Amino acid sequence: MTMRERIKEAAARYPDQRSAIMPALLIAQREHGHLPGQVLEEVADILGVERIWVYELATFYTLFHTEPVGMFHLQLCDNVSCMLCGAEDLLKHLETALAIRKGDTTPDGLFTLSSVECLGACEMAPVMQVGDDYHGALDVARIDALLDNLRATVGRVASVEHASARPPGE
């Protein structure tokens, strides 16, 4: 099914096409990895809504990315609960460990580091979202272990892909 077809199917559940913008943006982002201007315009055209409405939502919510992000998007909550539990120090540690600043992506394209206003998981403070997963009660050791695990995941995937690319019998 094409992106257009998936968006039309999702939009059919809403009496007002404007209400389908967020689901449509999620579909488009899964398809393209991020939401550059031409994709936002395409979503607006598919839904038959004003382009500004699509742009407003795509640039307001932190779950949408109008620029490319790394394979792992690390979003550290910096709201009050997380800040009081050490999020500022964890952000500094992440910047040092990854050798990038908040808002940047590592040169290898693995990690993008962001801070976000609130992840709605104060009971897990300090908390960070990586993709769709939340990681809470973070400290330096847990962050380092998480980064090591994410790097290892890439290594395992690469070795499986490499092995499957070999001709049979090798």
Side-chain angles (χ1 to χ4, degrees), residues 53-108:
W53 297 344
V54 174
Y55 276 89
E56 286 172 341
L57 287 177
T59 58
F60 179 78
Y61 290 104
T62 59
L63 74 135
F64 299 122
H65 314 296
T66 56
E67 298 293 327
V69 294
M71 180 180 291
F72 301 109
H73 188 189
L74 311 175
Q75 298 179 86
L76 183 66
C77 180
D78 65 5
N79 210 328
V80 174
S81 296
C82 289
M83 182 194 61
L84 291 173
C85 291
E88 290 174 338
D89 291 335
L90 294 177
L91 178 60
K92 289 175 189 169
H93 176 74
L94 282 162
E95 288 177 329
T96 301
L98 298 172
I100 59 172
R101 306 281 304 157
K102 176 178 75 170
D104 292 339
T105 300
T106 56
D108 60 7

Side-chain angles (χ1 to χ4, degrees), residues 62 73 75-79 114-119 127 129:
T62 59
H73 188 189
Q75 298 179 86
L76 183 66
C77 180
D78 65 5
N79 210 328
S114 302
S115 63
V116 294
E117 181 59 30
C118 184
L119 291 173
V127 65
Q129 183 176 355

Side-chain angles (χ1 to χ4, degrees), residues 29-51:
Q29 184 165 274
R30 276 189 219 108
E31 176 84 15
H32 295 281
H34 69 291
L35 299 167
Q38 70 269 20
V39 173
L40 296 176
E41 291 171 7
E42 183 179 1
V43 167
D45 294 345
I46 292 167
L47 295 175
V49 298
E50 297 291 328
R51 289 180 175 181

